[in-house]
Amino acid sequence: MRVTDAPNACRQGSALRLALTATVIVGCAGSTPGAPMAPPTPLALSAASAPPGFPAGGVAATAPVDNPLTEARAQLGRSLFYDRRLSRTAEIACSSCHQRKFGFADSVPVSAGVEGRHGNRNAPALVNLAWNSTFFWDGRAHSLEEQAGMPIENPVEMDLSLADAVARLNADVATVSAFTAAFDQPPSAETLRQALASFVRTLVSSDSPYDRHVRGDASAFGDSQRRGEALFSSDRTGCFHCHPAGELTNDGFFNNGSYTAGGDPGLQMITGRPGDLGKFKVPGLRNVAASAPYMHDGSVPTLEAVIEQYARGGRGDPSTDPQIAPLSLTAADKDDLLAFLQSLTDDGFLADPRFSPPAP
């Protein structure tokens, strides 16, 4: 499920900490049909899950009224995220392109879909998306619920109609039971999207050295990181305009100099406006050191190369935003910027077993 492209409300409150008790069959997790699933570890649904600098209320407050965030829905979405039945050939799952160890991104420029098909965009990281308002590199989805079904039906990704996906899920008694526990009804296109969106909302990263530094604990945030943060937040580089402190994305669109003539037009494909040529969604930067390669097309292999591209003022296309201009950075400046970007890595999030495939 590349994020390149919401039923009966369950009771909130105590339901936020309920475990999914129904059996769920996960197509890629090696589950034995009919075998009971081990009780899942509760996911982070509380206000405490909000990173420093984010709106108050935690992930539960970001859910739409017709899809309140509950433990049962999030755990069902977790199982579906790893379920290969959601691709036409049953060879890939959402997790194939969004791997936990890479910050729920991928390690290749463009991920392979069914039968080895490739699009032209990099799989972005699924981190802290609960607070975003648009999704995919071109912003064509305006909610996680809307986004969740698109990769399933995309012919170069999972290539399966939602109707066929729902038919597969309804053919399995245990899966129907899990949907009924979460939504009081069997699988449908709507509840499939809602479950996946609920899981993605719980993918909150908030304990990097940078986050602890923002909260007042600077023990893992050294002099180089401090200098890099100051440079990142200065008018000299202007990085903070698109990546403000705290959220580290302005949730907007920007031509950062990666577009070249004849390439992917980005936001312009959606709006048709000439001024949107080469604009792409500004990604968040948490765990950015783990999610190489970079840019909308995965064309920049390392963080060092990202810094060099910005130092050059982009790739020279006249459509580049005028804020992107050559920077006078010393080798030490570049090292400090790199140290700051590396301080955004939340090792606990990257290894968190709550986000791994449910145990069979």
Side-chain angles (χ1 to χ4, degrees), residues 15-259:
L16 291 179
R17 302 320 263 165
L18 289 176
L20 178 61
T21 57
T23 301
V24 180
I25 304 301
V26 184
C28 69
S31 300
T32 302
M37 190 176 74
T41 302
L43 296 168
L45 307 182
S46 68
S49 64
F54 277 59
V59 290
T62 70
V65 294
D66 59 350
N67 188 26
L69 186 61
T70 68
E71 187 73 23
R73 293 186 183 197
Q75 294 288 359
L76 175 57
R78 174 191 178 192
S79 72
L80 293 168
F81 187 83
Y82 289 94
D83 196 332
R84 296 175 187 264
R85 292 177 298 177
L86 298 184
S87 64
R88 177 176 56 79
T89 59
E91 61 183 308
I92 64 168
C94 304
S95 60
S96 301
C97 300
H98 298 283
Q99 300 179 49
R100 181 185 59 172
K101 63 183 176 181
F102 302 128
F104 287 94
D106 206 349
S107 62
V108 295
V110 179
S111 303
V114 297
E115 298 172 341
R117 299 173 186 175
H118 289 81
N120 60 351
R121 291 180 180 170
N122 179 254
L126 307 184
V127 178
N128 296 348
L129 294 185
W131 293 274
N132 282 199
S133 61
T134 57
F135 305 90
F136 299 108
W137 282 107
D138 57 20
R140 65 185 179 274
H142 295 276
S143 71
L144 284 172
E145 284 75 12
E146 182 183 5
Q147 174 276 319
M150 293 182 179
I152 297 173
E153 295 194 301
N154 190 310
V156 299
E157 298 186 46
M158 301 171 83
D159 194 30
L160 184 68
S161 71
L162 288 181
D164 286 343
V166 168
R168 290 182 181 185
L169 298 175
N170 272 304
D172 183 84
V173 173
T175 301
V176 172
S177 178
F179 270 87
T180 302
F183 293 100
D184 294 330
Q185 60 177 282
S188 67
E190 183 176 35
T191 55
L192 170 58
R193 291 193 301 265
Q194 288 176 326
L196 285 167
S198 294
F199 174 64
V200 173
R201 279 192 181 92
T202 70
L203 299 179
V204 176
S205 178
S206 60
D207 198 35
S208 68
Y210 166 77
D211 291 307
R212 297 194 293 274
H213 158 68
V214 171
R215 291 194 293 262
D217 176 9
S219 59
F221 202 79
D223 291 341
S224 183
Q225 287 86 353
R226 291 177 189 278
R227 291 192 300 267
E229 179 188 30
L231 188 56
F232 187 91
S233 304
S234 70
D235 288 329
R236 182 179 166 197
T237 64
C239 304
F240 70 97
H241 291 300
C242 287
H243 302 284
E247 295 190 56
L248 296 173
T249 175
N250 63 6
D251 197 27
F253 296 84
F254 193 67
N255 184 331
N256 70 350
S258 294
Y259 172 82

